[in-house]
């Protein structure tokens, strides 16, 4: 939850005046997102989200994200749509920060997704993959296999302070994944962070995808692997194959998996689990004393990783070849 | 800024279902208020604020506040209006907290109020005082003259750690105010916390008053005194008599001051300054190490107090008898 930058009414009036969005009626800082400052803005025309990009986002990446959202919205995908200023710019400056105004998406994220939510997610993710195919931006996935070892090295010897034997477990898994990671899968724009809090629903119907600030170019099936990890484990970390099947059936009803993708899925799921294990471990070990935010427990992803290590194949996710 | 209590989509759906407000479309925790958790809720009918009352608010006071808002809205004052549930209740329970749903008020608070904002504030405050006259609730002002000495005693000998000589200054002022505090002024419901962040404007027009959680029964002119302190000093703590005159002219255009009120105003302004000096001093001395919120500097109100101590009379606020 976060508003890192204060914006005065005068600054905001001036900023909103550079857009053709009607008369400003209200703005409220919203307690969401850990990367940026977000404000919900009402005008007499519509509701908008105003985002001020804080230091954790590389300003050079912003055109990739904003042009992507505009591209996807143009294809009919339900996602926040950047509003161009009267001068045609998607990116402006407010309170010394890069800032963008996007359309407000109604809907709520679901704390405990049910089977029908997983099916909707699968369909929307496949649509995102297809809609992004002719997007001409490119952004490397810094958190793909090549990025894991440097991240692990920054954790140094302290992994075992979190869990005895964790360092060895990660070392072995890293070696395995670096040796087996598939490099030739169908690829394009992926969201790379489609956790439940980034997917909005109205009732059981998916109403949109948000928070594209990890979006990048990578294997489509890796996006699926992230979602299987994020959506299909129960609170006790048991794997719910009914949810996984619904997710994969939803996905393949829009975009078929080829046989390489099908075969690679358990490896990709291990990689996705390791990716979140490592970033959470890094955050856990980096959190300063007296910090505002409690980091997420990395061990959740160790347990998920172990599940994927022990399954036979993609059948275990509920999808027959 | 604050959301102290997390609410899941399921809990919220159930709660909103007890009101006749249409279909829930979205809810966002908002980074405002230091006492309660607030959410901006969109339904297909309108926007609302959902408030969860945290421990700093006495639950026994909530009917006073909510019935007052309903009373004032019924008189036509622009303020958040509590929405009754289908069962007719203004107060419900959500996530284990007392909770209320109120109408959303468009408008923005003004960081640097100008003369015309002060005039609008004066008029709205007078309307509030008149509209509240037949409200049958009663709540003592715990932060009136009788409450200041106990508050000061809780600060103990530590006042001088904030500013050398501060303890003596407060001791003298307390003695003076206890001896001279007027007890027979016209009274009724006052807001008691009409700082700029509790007054919304659309352009130069006041659009509403919010945050009635200090409202109580006390002298009307004490409310004016709080506002003269809160609205009429510049950032360098010089007193802007043009703003004060506009505030008082706005007020008296709706409700006349009698001669006792007129004469008492400098004393009331000293009292209001001392009240905020003491509560800020108390908060300053009570803040735990590593706290999330930086307390406001109490010395701002010491300087304001000194201004009121040295003026001749109410003429200095720009209002002729």
């Amino acid at each position: 939850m976060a508003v890192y930058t204060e914006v005065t009414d005068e600054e905001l009036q001036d900023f909103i005046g550079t857009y053709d969005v009607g008369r400003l009626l209200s703005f409220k800082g919203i307690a969401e997102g850990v990367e940026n400052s977000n404000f919900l803005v009402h005008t007499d025309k519509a509701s908008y989200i105003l985002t001020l990009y804080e230091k954790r986002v590389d300003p050079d990446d912003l055109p990739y994200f904003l042009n992507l959202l505009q591209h996807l919205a143009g294809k009919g995908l339900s996602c926040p749509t950047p509003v161009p200023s009267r001068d045609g710019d998607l990116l402006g400056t407010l309170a010394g920060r890069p800032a963008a105004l996007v359309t407000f998406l109604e809907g709520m994220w679901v704390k405990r997704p049910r089977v029908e939510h997983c099916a909707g997610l699968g369909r929307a993710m496949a649509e995102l993959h297809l809609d992004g195919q002719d997007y001409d931006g490119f952004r490397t996935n810094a958190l793909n296999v090549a990025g894991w070892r440097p991240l692990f090295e920054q954790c140094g010897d302290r992994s075992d302070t979190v869990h005895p034997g964790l360092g060895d477990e990660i070392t072995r898994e890293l070696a395995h994944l670096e040796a087996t990671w598939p490099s030739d899968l169908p690829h394009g724009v992926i969201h790379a962070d489609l956790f439940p809090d980034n997917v909005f629903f109205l009732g059981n119907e998916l109403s949109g995808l948000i928070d594209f600030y990890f979006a990048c170019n990578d294997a489509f099936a890796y996006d699926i692997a992230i979602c299987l990890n994020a959506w299909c484990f129960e609170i006790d970390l048991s794997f719910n194959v009914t949810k996984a099947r619904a997710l994969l059936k939803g996905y393949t009803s829009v975009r078929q998996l080829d046989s390489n993708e099908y075969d690679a899925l358990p490896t990709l799921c291990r990689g996705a689990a390791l990716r979140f294990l490592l970033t959470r471990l890094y955050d856990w070990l980096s959190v300063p004393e007296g910090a505002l935010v409690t980091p997420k427990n990395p061990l959740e992803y160790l347990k998920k990783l172990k599940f994927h290590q022990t399954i036979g194949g993609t059948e275990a996710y509920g999808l027959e070849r």
Side-chain angles (χ1 to χ4, degrees), chain A:
Chain A
M1 56 187 263
V3 171
Y4 301 97
T5 302
E6 265 201 61
V7 178
T8 68
D9 54 304
E10 291 161 340
E11 288 174 308
L12 186 73
Q13 290 278 9
D14 290 347
F15 183 81
I16 294 292
T18 65
Y19 295 85
D20 181 26
V21 292
R23 185 184 180 213
L24 179 59
L25 295 182
S26 65
F27 79 119
K28 306 281 179 199
I30 60 180
E32 245 169 57
V34 292
E35 305 281 334
N36 302 313
S37 297
N38 290 301
F39 300 85
L40 173 43
V41 173
H42 289 176
T43 76
D44 57 9
K45 281 193 180 171
S47 299
Y48 302 89
I49 295 285
L50 168 66
T51 300
L52 271 62
Y53 298 98
E54 305 290 345
K55 60 180 182 220
R56 281 188 70 167
V57 175
D58 183 345
D60 291 342
D61 283 337
L62 291 174
Y64 177 87
F65 300 138
L66 293 172
N67 291 327
L68 173 61
L69 288 170
Q70 193 177 49
H71 176 92
L72 295 174
K75 297 268 180 173
L77 193 85
S78 183
C79 61
T81 312
V83 181
S85 73
R86 292 179 204 275
D87 294 338
D89 299 323
L90 299 187
L91 194 61
T93 302
L94 179 57
R97 304 283 189 289
L101 192 69
V102 302
T103 55
F104 181 81
L105 217 59
E106 300 288 0
M108 284 152 291
W109 73 273
V110 176
K111 185 122 180 161
R112 286 188 287 251
R114 295 188 301 276
V115 173
E116 52 270 35
H117 298 123
C118 295
L121 166 69
R123 287 190 296 271
M125 177 168 42
E127 280 158 15
L128 161 63
H129 292 167
L130 294 179
D131 290 344
Q133 279 187 308
D134 57 348
Y135 178 57
D136 58 8
F138 183 85
R139 182 173 177 264
T140 301
N141 186 1
L143 293 169
N144 201 329
V145 61
W148 299 337
R149 187 169 291 277
L151 194 59
F152 181 46
E153 283 167 358
Q154 286 184 71
C155 298
D157 302 331
R158 294 172 299 154
S159 306
D160 284 11
T161 65
V162 175
H163 181 70
L166 182 58
D168 281 349
E169 299 228 38
I170 294 174
T171 301
R172 276 196 304 274
E173 183 66 18
L174 249 182
H176 170 78
L177 290 174
E178 285 171 345
T180 59
W181 195 250
S183 61
D184 53 354
L185 298 176
H187 58 272
V189 174
I190 68 169
H191 184 287
D193 196 36
L194 272 178
F195 277 61
D197 56 340
N198 289 332
V199 183
F200 284 177
F201 291 88
L202 286 169
N204 288 336
E205 294 299 310
L206 190 144
S207 66
L209 309 177
I210 67 160
D211 201 349
F212 282 70
Y213 300 109
F214 286 94
C216 56
N217 293 68
D218 204 342
F220 294 135
Y222 184 56
D223 226 5
I224 304 174
I226 291 170
C227 290
L228 287 170
N229 277 287
W231 288 71
C232 302
F233 287 88
E234 300 300 314
I235 289 170
D236 65 0
L237 299 180
S238 62
F239 188 75
N240 186 323
V241 70
T242 308
K243 290 181 179 175
R245 181 183 293 119
L247 194 160
L248 292 168
K249 292 271 187 199
Y251 187 93
T252 54
S253 73
V254 175
R255 177 183 170 271
Q256 279 297 318
L257 296 185
D258 72 22
S259 64
N260 288 336
E261 288 177 296
Y262 184 88
D263 292 339
L265 206 50
T267 301
L268 297 172
C269 283
R270 287 170 70 160
L274 184 67
R275 173 254 188 266
F276 288 100
L277 171 57
L278 283 170
T279 48
R280 289 189 180 186
L281 178 65
Y282 178 82
D283 289 345
W284 188 271
L285 293 171
S286 307
V287 69
E289 297 255 344
L292 301 189
V293 178
T294 310
K296 291 176 177 157
N297 191 335
L299 297 182
E300 175 189 336
Y301 273 87
L302 178 62
K303 292 196 180 143
K304 291 179 175 179
L305 172 60
K306 288 185 175 178
F307 172 79
H308 301 300
Q309 286 172 338
T310 54
I311 63 165
T314 293
E315 300 78 27
Y317 302 134
L319 188 69
E320 300 303 316
R321 185 180 294 272

